[in-house]
């Protein structure tokens, strides 16, 4: 079976530091500018979307209850 580029990239991404997609990195910078003090920026690999969480507790809850979302904490 042939692996697509997207599947190959997603398989290698275990943490935000492993993210190589320039479009995703550029979008993350835009979201970071909108954030307030305690906010946490998360990226779901399952949907390719960003979410701004109010604080670390909200982030932890999302990761705990959404394991299939493949959350990455943007740092």
């Amino acid at each position: 079976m042939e692996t697509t580029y997207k599947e190959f990239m997603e398989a290698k991404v275990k943490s935000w530091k492993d993210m190589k997609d320039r479009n995703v990195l550029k979008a993350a910078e835009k979201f970071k500018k909108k954030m307030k003090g305690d906010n946490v920026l998360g990226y779901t690999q399952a949907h390719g979307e960003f979410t701004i969480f109010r604080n670390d507790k909200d982030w932890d809850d999302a990761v705990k209850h959404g394991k299939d979302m493949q959350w990455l904490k943007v740092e």
Side-chain angles (χ1 to χ4, degrees), residues 43-58:
Y43 178 75
T44 173
Q45 295 183 79
H47 296 287
E49 296 176 344
F50 290 95
T51 302
I52 298 175
F53 296 94
R54 288 182 292 170
N55 52 40
D56 283 318
K57 182 189 178 310
D58 286 350

